[in-house]
Each structure stands twice: as C-alpha cells, then as structure tokens.
Amino acid sequence: MIAIGSDHAGYHLKESIKKHLDKKGIQYKDFGCHSEERAEYASYAEKVANAVSSGEYEKGLLFCGTGIGMSIAANKVKGIRAVVCSECYSAIMSRRHNDANILALGGRVVGVDLAAMIVDMWLDTPFEGGRHKARVDMISEIEGKNIQKGC
Ligand code: RB5
C-alpha cells in the first residue's frame, strides 16, 4: 500500500498518477491536499512520511511544484529516505542503492507520461542490499546520533 500526498502545485500530477495506479491495480491512500487551492507542502510531506515511517505504508509518493520542498520536509522524519527524481536512471538507482522509501516529483518539472514511467520504475525496482545496506545503515546511524543530541 502506497501513501501519497501533494500541495496545490503537485495536485494535478498526483491526480494523473492516481489514475495510472488505478489502472495498474496498485492500492494507495491519498493524504491530501484535495484541490488546487493553496496548501502547504510541509504538512502533507509530514503526513505521508509518518505513514511510511510507522511501517503502515510500504512507500510514499509526494508531489509539489519541484518535488524539492516535499523531499526536504519528508527527510526530517526518522527512517525516511526521500528522493526527488525527474528521470528514470536516478529513480532506479535510488531504489537499488539507497533503498529510497519516498519518491517526490515536481508537477511543474515533469510531464504526466514521464512521471508515470518514473513511478513505475521506482516502484518495481528492489533494493540490492549487500554493500549498499552497510551504506544505508551509516545514514541511519547519523540520524540516530542527531536524535540523541536532541536535534
Ligand atoms: C509552491 O509554489 C512551491 O513552492 C512548492 O510546490 C514546491 O515546489 C516547493 O518546493
């Protein structure tokens, strides 16, 4: 099950990707926003990131104007590895090597068809583990140290 969310600038792309996921029979929950009225990206990033971090949702998709604000905000939540991708190579590698658990896309950056392709590749690509697991573990250690410091 996928958690998804957007602000107003990502709303149209989110709606297109929802139709794409429906066609593929992929289940998701939309955490908002629910129209093109102005909405603050950080609050939707937080909802989706918490849903993924808790383990209730396997992965998350976030949409804003660029994908950048969403990814920065989502990465503040423990256990989240959010990436912004505007092409397929990075999307695939973010799964293979970085075990990314949230993909952020820019509604003002990528077209609907490219976004659908990026989402498909990202969802379908497994984490390679091995030496990459040790590297991802190092990221978690940094996170753990900063949580201890109360950052
Ligand atoms: C909204 O104008 C825009 O700043 C937002 O959607 C996002 O691109 C921020 O990173």
Side-chain angles (χ1 to χ4, degrees):
M1 183 85 150
I2 311 291
I4 68 176
S6 75
D7 71 357
H8 56 291
Y11 178 76
H12 71 282
L13 186 57
K14 181 180 70 178
E15 291 304 299
S16 301
I17 294 298
K18 276 163 66 178
K19 284 187 196 132
H20 180 70
L21 296 176
D22 288 339
K23 270 190 224 151
K24 298 191 74 167
I26 296 173
Q27 289 193 311
Y28 57 83
K29 178 174 171 184
D30 185 355
F31 285 80
C33 65
H34 299 293
S35 77
E36 282 185 339
E37 245 174 75
R38 199 169 75 187
E40 304 308 332
Y41 59 80
S43 67
Y44 297 98
E46 187 180 13
K47 287 179 209 282
V48 167
N50 282 334
V52 173
S53 173
S54 70
E56 201 183 336
Y57 292 81
E58 186 200 338
K59 289 188 181 104
L61 298 174
L62 285 168
F63 305 85
C64 65
T66 58
I68 295 170
M70 283 294 195
S71 65
I72 293 172
N75 277 319
K76 300 297 176 197
V77 174
K78 190 174 185 295
I80 294 303
R81 290 176 299 279
V83 291
V84 190
C85 296
S86 303
E87 33 73 32
C88 295
Y89 180 79
S90 300
I92 291 169
M93 297 312 284
S94 78
R95 288 288 312 130
R96 278 193 196 161
H97 286 192
N98 313 110
D99 199 16
N101 49 15
I102 291 186
L103 170 66
L105 291 159
R108 295 173 179 163
V109 181
V110 287
V112 168
D113 289 354
L114 175 57
M117 214 178 268
I118 292 170
V119 166
D120 285 349
M121 305 236 164
W122 189 78
L123 290 176
D124 289 348
T125 303
F127 179 46
E128 272 180 18
R131 69 185 191 281
H132 301 295
K133 163 113 181 40
R135 290 167 182 161
V136 170
D137 287 346
M138 286 174 74
I139 298 172
S140 305
E141 278 171 33
I142 296 170
E143 193 175 60
K145 281 187 226 164
N146 281 287
I147 286 168
Q148 275 171 13
K149 277 194 277 181
C151 294

